[in-house]
Amino acid sequence: NGVLTVKSAEVVFPVSSMLWDTEQTMDGCTSCALVFNGSFVRTSNNKVEYRTDPKPWLFCVTSEGQLMAGLLGGPYESLSGTNVTCIDAIRGVASLYKDIDQGLVVFYIINGIVYYNQLINGIWQGQSLVSIAPSNAVSVHAERTFDWRVVLQVKDASGVLYEVFSKMAASGWNGHESLTFKMEM
């Protein structure tokens, strides 16, 4: 009925014993995404952990189609004025030395077109088009692959599901080799 309720709980076992606390309730919400910002940190045995900030980011679409963003509990700022219908968000990859930082990325649909906006170093980079997504999109979902790329699953109005992958972004935190060829006649 257009009411968003965000709850949290400490993880306990069995899970049925968890006690849930209401963090926020918001009227007039048609779609939402909740994601933690943070950093990927290499630990022992070449494992990588995702260490998060204390509060997650909440992205929501109002009943007027406005995309709002902010740390859970507010305040929230408008990232797009009208006609937003579907959203998802993910933390892009950031290298150990921050030479690569894709930031916090929110994906959203306006009039069937998929767009994104990135929060890098506390600054929103502005709305950009996902040019290879279908032009009649009705839903978008973001995930991360085993090699740290971001993949979008975009469904179009006819029900066809597309997958759109980002390029590999590697630097000093993982082993990476490349070859360069020069062709001459």
Side-chain angles (χ1 to χ4, degrees):
N1 294 331
V3 177
L4 168 68
T5 302
V6 179
K7 294 184 176 191
S8 68
E10 292 292 326
V11 177
V12 295
F13 294 99
V15 174
S16 59
S17 298
M18 291 172 56
L19 300 175
W20 293 89
D21 297 318
T22 300
E23 299 293 333
Q24 182 171 2
T25 302
M26 185 182 299
D27 291 327
C29 180
T30 62
S31 184
C32 70
L34 193 66
V35 65
F36 281 92
N37 200 357
S39 299
F40 296 93
V41 178
R42 180 178 275 179
T43 62
S44 62
N45 299 324
N46 283 328
K47 292 183 181 179
V48 177
E49 291 181 357
Y50 184 55
R51 297 194 180 148
T52 64
D53 293 346
K55 280 189 168 186
W57 278 78
L58 175 64
F59 299 92
C60 65
V61 178
T62 67
S63 54
E64 294 81 27
Q66 185 176 23
L67 173 58
M68 304 297 289
L71 287 172
L72 182 63
Y76 299 100
E77 63 181 296
S78 176
L79 296 183
S80 186
T82 59
N83 298 326
V84 176
T85 55
C86 185
I87 61 174
D88 202 2
I90 195 165
R91 176 56 165 105
V93 71
S95 68
L96 177 63
Y97 302 108
K98 299 294 184 193
D99 58 324
I100 296 173
D101 188 358
Q102 297 171 336
L104 194 64
V105 188
V106 59
F107 296 94
Y108 49 100
I109 297 173
I110 300 175
N111 299 323
I113 307 297
V114 181
Y115 296 94
Y116 69 96
N117 200 338
Q118 296 169 274
L119 179 68
I120 300 174
N121 294 324
I123 300 171
W124 288 104
Q125 304 300 301
Q127 179 171 288
S128 296
L129 172 71
V130 178
S131 60
I132 59 174
S135 60
N136 58 350
V138 294
S139 70
V140 62
H141 176 70
E143 288 289 337
R144 195 174 302 102
T145 64
F146 72 95
D147 60 357
W148 307 103
R149 292 178 292 160
V150 172
V151 60
L152 297 181
Q153 295 174 332
V154 181
K155 190 179 286 188
D156 72 8
S158 65
V160 176
L161 180 66
Y162 296 83
E163 287 193 329
V164 178
F165 290 79
S166 67
K167 291 181 181 179
M168 177 70 172
S171 72
W173 64 281
N174 75 6
H176 178 204
E177 295 180 20
S178 63
L179 299 173
T180 303
F181 295 95
K182 182 177 179 183
M183 304 296 285
E184 291 184 8
M185 299 210 46

